[in-house]
Amino acid sequence: MVQKLNDFLEENINYLKDNGLYNEIDSIEGANGPEIAIKGKTYINLSSNNYLGLATDEDLKTAAKNAIDSHGVGAGAVRSINGTLDLHDELEQTLAEFKGTEAAIAYQSGFNCNMAAISAVMNKNDAILSDELNHASIIDGCRLSKAKIIRVNHSDMDDLRQKAKEAVESGQYNKVMYITDGVFSMDGDVAKLPEIVEICEPLGIMIYVDDAHGSGVMGKGAGTVKHFGLQDKVDFQIGTLSKAIGVVGGYVAGSQQLIDWLKAQSRPFLFSTSLAPGDTKAITEAVKKLMASTELHDQLWDNANYLKDGLKNLGFNIGESETPITPVIIGDEKKTQEFSKRLMDEGVYVKSIVFPTVPRGTGRVRNMPTAAHTKEMLDQALEVYERVGKELNVIE
Ligand SMILES: *Cc1c(COP(=O)(O)O)cnc(C)c1O
């Protein structure tokens, strides 16, 4: 190895390790379901984004296998050359129907959507107002566009109103866009979309909502935008196919013209091979399932409310979440890590999240209940929470 590289890696990895920032990655033996096995031991899994349990759904597995039989394992090319399969067209029509838009475009990941869509529309003559807690892929997508980035305090509508007005009235920018997560992943709070529309619409500001954690969860499954009935007011609806949908990939839903432009211009669409046939068919099956029935969605909320009530009754601080995302806020970083480790010793897999992912002094373990958990699993988890919480003096 080149000495400079060696020095760089050693110094920086040691820094992370010395500061408790180095994440040892566990390998899961078998499927990522409501229970998981790691090094031969079984855990109740409260750390996945597999909200509806679809990652191991039998109908999706069958759909994927059948598509592999009929279409093979790879798409063979980028979409614009000859990697667009009939399965991709079917998926995009289904996604547009799901989101209540004219059209949709699928990408290889949610991360890719933000790389693709923001920079296809925004450039150095434009400005983007961006909530300070937006996901990393939004931040990177904004940077890639070279537009002026204006940070807005988290869900602070007065701050948005003022900065939006300033940006438009300055006359400095050609286009202005506001970008927000639909559901914020660390606290589980929901973007104030009705107020956002009220502020942005009269000023001619485009609205871009990344609903990665809202789809399948909010709006009877259709997402946060549908929850507020604002499909006609939001220009870009971004989603992932890897969380509630259970597979992999992402999409942008919007007007036919917007989707035509993204197909003509967005770089991850033009220069990266499309979703594999098995994944594509499994995703379509998942979205159709969500449109046909709210059963999994209802089960998710049942379980989430059960877990939240249980944790609250035990005396834990579970923040102000409006969604199934359930933080248990411990505060001190070291104590948070110890708490998570003790939960794991006792068979509950919940990851700690500390600074710099969340502000200093707000360390938490983040619970992600799913539709696939049984009441017995949740009871067992609550029993462990009670024991470990008392042991570490987090609760009385
Ligand atoms: C998880 C997430 C993504 C990334 O989605 P992937 O499909 O996993 O790449 C993008 N945006 C937000 C807001 C997310 O929470």
Side-chain angles (χ1 to χ4, degrees):
M1 199 191 290
V2 172
Q3 193 60 37
K4 282 241 186 248
L5 175 59
N6 193 56
D7 295 348
F8 168 83
L9 295 174
E10 202 156 290
E11 183 185 330
N12 286 288
I13 289 175
N14 286 340
Y15 173 84
L16 294 181
K17 286 186 172 162
D18 292 345
N19 288 278
L21 297 171
Y22 190 81
N23 186 16
E24 298 286 351
I25 298 170
D26 299 315
S27 195
I28 296 171
E29 294 143 7
N32 191 341
E35 290 185 315
I36 48 173
I38 297 167
K39 294 189 181 131
K41 182 173 166 185
T42 303
Y43 298 87
I44 294 167
N45 179 17
L46 287 170
S47 284
S48 84
N49 297 317
N50 180 22
Y51 285 109
L52 301 176
L54 289 172
T56 53
D57 183 87
E58 290 305 323
D59 296 332
L60 269 65
K61 282 157 72 172
T62 304
K65 286 176 199 164
N66 289 341
I68 288 172
D69 284 342
S70 61
H71 288 70
V73 292
V78 301
R79 292 281 299 274
S80 52
I81 307 246
N82 77 346
T84 295
L85 309 177
D86 52 0
L87 300 178
H88 294 122
D89 294 331
E90 182 195 19
L91 170 62
E92 288 170 343
Q93 279 157 20
T94 309
L95 286 169
E97 196 189 327
F98 180 50
K99 289 284 137 176
T101 57
E102 282 175 14
I105 176 173
Y107 289 94
Q108 306 86 347
S109 74
F111 200 105
N112 250 354
C113 286
N114 289 323
M115 294 297 110
I118 302 171
S119 61
V121 173
M122 304 302 278
N123 61 43
K124 64 178 183 353
N125 302 315
D126 301 325
I128 300 171
L129 298 147
S130 177
D131 187 286
E132 64 181 336
L133 294 190
N134 278 344
H135 188 261
S137 58
I138 296 177
I139 295 169
D140 288 5
C142 290
R143 286 181 183 151
L144 190 62
S145 76
K146 300 197 172 69
K148 167 79 181 173
I149 299 164
I150 303 166
R151 262 166 69 113
V152 177
N153 295 340
H154 176 53
S155 278
D156 180 340
M157 292 300 113
D158 291 334
D159 195 43
L160 173 61
R161 193 174 289 109
Q162 189 192 332
K163 286 173 177 163
K165 203 157 164 279
E166 272 170 22
V168 171
E169 286 176 358
S170 75
Q172 275 182 58
Y173 307 111
N174 184 9
K175 303 190 284 305
V176 182
M177 174 187 270
Y178 177 62
I179 307 191
T180 182
D181 277 23
V183 171
F184 291 88
S185 62
M186 293 304 145
D187 292 292
D189 55 322
V190 176
K192 296 172 180 162
L193 292 183
E195 280 176 81
I196 289 166
V197 169
E198 207 181 285
I199 293 167
C200 293
E201 195 177 31
L203 291 167
I205 296 176
M206 291 174 258
I207 301 175
Y208 184 114
V209 178
D210 180 347
D211 207 23
H213 282 278
S215 244
V217 176
M218 299 292 292
K220 290 276 164 209
T224 309
V225 173
K226 197 88 164 268
H227 170 77
F228 289 114
L230 294 170
Q231 305 90 289
D232 298 335
K233 304 287 186 186
V234 171
D235 303 288
F236 298 74
Q237 291 192 56
I238 313 302
T240 174
L241 300 165
S242 66
K243 289 176 179 145
I245 303 297
V247 191
V248 71
Y251 58 92
V252 182
S255 70
Q256 184 66 53
Q257 233 177 354
L258 171 65
I259 302 310
D260 288 346
W261 175 247
L262 294 178
K263 287 187 173 176
Q265 205 62 32
S266 64
R267 293 168 73 81
F269 183 87
L270 297 172
F271 297 104
S272 182
T273 300
S274 51
L275 287 166
D279 293 338
T280 308
K281 195 65 190 183
I283 297 161
T284 306
E285 178 73 23
V287 175
K288 286 186 171 163
K289 217 183 233 289
L290 288 198
M291 287 194 288
S293 159
T294 61
E295 192 188 330
L296 291 173
H297 160 276
D298 298 345
Q299 186 64 46
L300 164 68
W301 279 90
D302 253 18
N303 283 348
N305 289 330
Y306 188 80
L307 183 71
K308 282 184 184 192
D309 288 346
L311 289 168
K312 212 193 258 170
N313 290 338
L314 287 172
F316 287 104
N317 173 7
I318 61 167
E320 306 289 332
S321 173
E322 302 165 74
T323 62
I325 296 171
T326 308
V328 166
I329 299 166
I330 308 293
D332 180 72
E333 282 72 28
K334 284 233 154 56
K335 189 157 184 180
T336 305
Q337 276 160 347
E338 192 187 350
F339 188 72
S340 160
K341 190 181 166 300
R342 283 291 300 127
L343 290 175
M344 234 187 120
D345 292 341
E346 301 291 326
V348 179
Y349 195 85
V350 205
K351 286 300 220 183
S352 60
I353 299 176
V354 296
F355 180 80
T357 308
V358 293
R360 229 183 257 285
T362 70
R364 79 259 333 252
V365 292
R366 189 183 59 162
N367 297 277
M368 307 292 273
T370 73
H373 288 97
T374 62
K375 286 280 184 310
E376 290 70 33
M377 292 174 196
L378 297 176
D379 282 336
Q380 202 184 323
L382 286 168
E383 193 261 315
V384 169
Y385 259 103
E386 181 172 16
R387 201 150 15 100
V388 173
K390 285 179 176 163
E391 175 192 308
L392 295 181
N393 293 318
V394 178
I395 53 169
E396 304 203 333

